[in-house]
Amino acid sequence: MNTLSLPQHLMPLLMHIEPLLVPAQLYQLGDEVNVTINNEQLIKIKTATKECSLAFNFIAAENGDLQPTYQVRDQWLAPFDELEVLRDKVATDSSLILCGYPTTDGCFDLWHHQGQARATYCHHSGASEAQRAMLLVALALDYPIDDALVLARAHARSYQDHNCRAQGELVWPTTAKVFPRAVVSHDSELEQFGCHSNDNALAPFASLDRTKLGLYPVVDSVNWVERVLQLGVTTTQLRIKNRHQSRLEQQIQQAVVAGAACQAQVFINDYWLLAIKHHAYGVHLGQEDLGSVDLAAIQQAGLRLGISTHGYYEILRALEYQPSYIALGHIFATSTKEMPSLPQGVSRLALYQKLIGERCPTVAIGGITIERAGKVWRTGVTAVAVVSAITQANDPEAAIAELNNILVANVENQAGGALSDNSIRAL
């Protein structure tokens, strides 16, 4: 059981925290959270993977030797530092979090990530007590800080609207309009953020053929690309982990040719320069690539783009690039790739899909077996990516046939659009 321990002076937050724990349990978003009251000055959170402490508007001189994991500043009285100055402080201080920094047209949330400041932006901040409550609940449910801040802002923005609706409705944020926007390198808000972008605004990436999505094998050699295409697969990805192997370029070129011959959608993972050189159908990139890859070159070459995501913030970030699809993962524990995040699970996947809606095709990936494929598909995703379910199967042809049958059998769920709250709870 996870624990969230509040200092006595924050007891009023319980009226906001307890209603959030109900949908969290119904949606099965994490382990059960036990809320307690302590006689200390810091909020303390303990989960299966982390322990952290937190304080709002912390002043070191008044708190002696206390050093909270996160110092959240969320009350702004003029005069206060310029956003550019605060951005630089956040970049050098991993504990500092700025919530609801006010500007002329809206507000920013800023936090530290690997020596830089990350930010989201929205036009109004919402209710401050609701924002604090969701931040604590999300952290207690083992969401990473990026996602906890995104959820907190979305809940704060939707809180007033929720109070105007019927009593008893679940309060977990699911509507896209209440979520903030991620600030990225070509963002129009960068000037307010204290940066100047050298990037021109990206046009949307070329769209893919949704009718060829559904089953999406991810394989590690051109031999497997050719094999799955011969077995009727219409979308696949070549993911070669060893970039130093001697036949790397040859395999990529051969995969592109095989895809064209079968009129299939073959994506090249990571090697975007070779993908452009050999006129690939598309390229798939990770979050870590978005700051270093020449995305404009990929877009101008007409290649489709898929982007990996691992939670709310990364989804919002990916949407700003208007990709051809967004990959949502990893859904279950997987041994095919070392992952920086925890498994998302089907319930969180369903909420991510509801957030994205029809804005972009989606691909669920990570630990998906034949037995799990139907449940994943019923979340409403556009495609289900599998790896070992095919490449380690005794009979790959039979595995592909069975997976296709599962997706076809559940196709009516796809036609219905976004899942209802009741459907999410039933997953």
Side-chain angles (χ1 to χ4, degrees):
M1 178 179 289
N2 299 347
T3 58
L4 166 58
S5 181
L6 296 174
Q8 289 190 7
H9 72 276
L10 290 177
M11 282 182 63
L13 278 180
L14 286 174
M15 65 175 289
H16 296 276
I17 289 172
E18 289 174 349
L20 287 169
L21 295 176
V22 176
Q25 185 174 0
L26 288 174
Y27 288 153
Q28 301 176 38
L29 300 179
D31 292 339
E32 185 177 351
V33 176
N34 180 38
V35 181
T36 64
I37 304 299
N38 66 53
N39 294 317
E40 303 177 37
Q41 299 181 57
L42 300 181
I43 303 159
K44 295 188 175 181
I45 295 171
K46 184 176 182 180
T47 72
T49 65
K50 69 171 183 282
E51 290 188 45
C52 65
S53 58
L54 185 145
F56 294 107
N57 302 302
F58 179 85
I59 300 176
E62 294 181 0
N63 290 277
D65 295 330
L66 290 177
Q67 293 295 327
T69 311
Y70 299 117
Q71 304 177 49
V72 181
R73 183 175 176 186
D74 62 357
Q75 294 176 348
W76 301 95
L77 298 174
F80 43 80
D81 290 338
E82 294 292 329
L83 182 58
E84 184 173 0
V85 174
L86 292 173
R87 180 205 69 203
D88 291 341
K89 288 183 179 179
V90 169
T92 58
D93 185 350
S94 61
S95 71
L96 185 59
I97 295 173
L98 310 182
C99 291
Y101 177 94
T103 65
T104 303
D105 300 321
C107 68
F108 287 88
D109 293 331
L110 292 85
W111 65 98
H112 181 97
H113 178 79
Q114 297 181 356
Q116 296 182 328
R118 277 185 167 177
T120 57
Y121 172 84
C122 54
H123 289 299
H124 71 87
S125 62
S128 60
E129 295 298 290
Q131 191 271 341
R132 286 184 171 189
M134 177 57 95
L135 175 61
L136 300 181
V137 167
L139 287 173
L141 290 169
D142 228 357
Y143 281 94
I145 188 64
D146 310 59
D147 291 355
L149 287 164
V150 166
L151 276 170
R153 183 58 57 210
H155 177 59
R157 284 162 55 83
S158 64
Y159 179 76
Q160 182 175 358
D161 179 54
H162 168 75
N163 281 348
C164 295
R165 288 180 275 156
Q167 293 295 317
E169 184 175 341
L170 297 182
V171 296
W172 202 265
T174 58
T175 306
K177 67 179 182 180
V178 301
F179 281 81
R181 290 180 48 221
V183 177
V184 296
S185 61
H186 58 273
D187 201 299
S188 60
E189 307 299 339
L190 272 182
E191 187 171 344
Q192 291 190 71
F193 192 50
C195 296
H196 299 284
S197 172
N198 294 323
D199 300 334
N200 295 320
L202 286 171
F205 283 84
S207 60
L208 42 67
D209 186 346
R210 286 181 182 238
T211 65
K212 293 183 178 181
L213 286 174
L215 179 60
Y216 185 166
V218 177
V219 297
D220 61 3
S221 72
V222 69
N223 292 335
W224 268 111
V225 169
E226 294 173 340
R227 188 172 180 183
V228 298
L229 294 181
Q230 290 165 4
L231 293 173
V233 167
T234 52
T235 301
T236 189
Q237 181 186 135
L238 175 62
R239 185 172 73 187
I240 299 175
K241 298 178 183 179
N242 181 10
R243 62 176 59 247
H244 301 296
Q245 66 166 273
S246 58
R247 295 183 61 250
L248 175 64
E249 182 168 358
Q250 181 182 347
Q251 287 210 61
I252 290 173
Q253 182 178 18
Q254 194 174 337
V256 171
V257 170
C262 295
Q263 296 184 317
Q265 303 179 140
V266 176
F267 286 83
I268 306 301
N269 184 289
D270 209 12
Y271 306 106
W272 60 277
L273 284 169
L274 292 175
I276 292 174
K277 178 180 178 180
H278 295 290
H279 309 288
Y281 179 85
V283 63
H284 182 94
L285 298 175
Q287 287 282 318
E288 66 280 1
D289 301 314
L290 296 179
S292 58
V293 165
D294 189 343
L295 294 171
I298 296 171
Q299 191 274 330
Q300 291 164 11
L303 274 64
R304 285 79 179 167
L305 175 66
I307 299 177
S308 292
T309 67
H310 309 89
Y312 282 108
Y313 169 76
E314 291 187 358
I315 290 170
L316 297 177
R317 186 183 185 209
L319 284 169
E320 291 298 315
Y321 294 97
Q322 304 181 81
S324 309
Y325 74 82
I326 289 175
L328 305 170
H330 60 302
I331 310 307
F332 305 102
T334 175
S335 60
T336 62
K337 184 179 179 182
E338 186 175 341
M339 303 303 296
S341 58
L342 295 171
Q344 301 294 328
V346 176
S347 295
R348 291 192 185 188
L349 171 64
L351 292 176
Y352 299 152
Q353 177 60 40
K354 192 168 184 178
L355 168 61
I356 296 169
E358 293 299 315
R359 287 186 285 175
C360 185
T362 54
V363 178
I365 187 170
I368 301 173
T369 62
I370 291 175
E371 294 76 18
R372 294 165 169 168
K375 198 168 189 177
V376 170
W377 183 247
R378 288 192 293 274
T379 63
V381 293
T382 319
V384 174
V386 296
V387 185
S388 56
I390 290 176
T391 59
Q392 295 181 18
N394 293 329
D395 186 344
E397 181 175 4
I400 288 173
E402 187 171 358
L403 284 162
N404 278 324
N405 285 336
I406 290 170
L407 304 191
V408 169
N410 288 284
V411 73
E412 291 183 1
N413 291 284
Q414 297 290 57
L419 289 179
S420 67
D421 287 342
N422 288 333
S423 298
I424 295 172
R425 283 176 247 169
L427 285 170

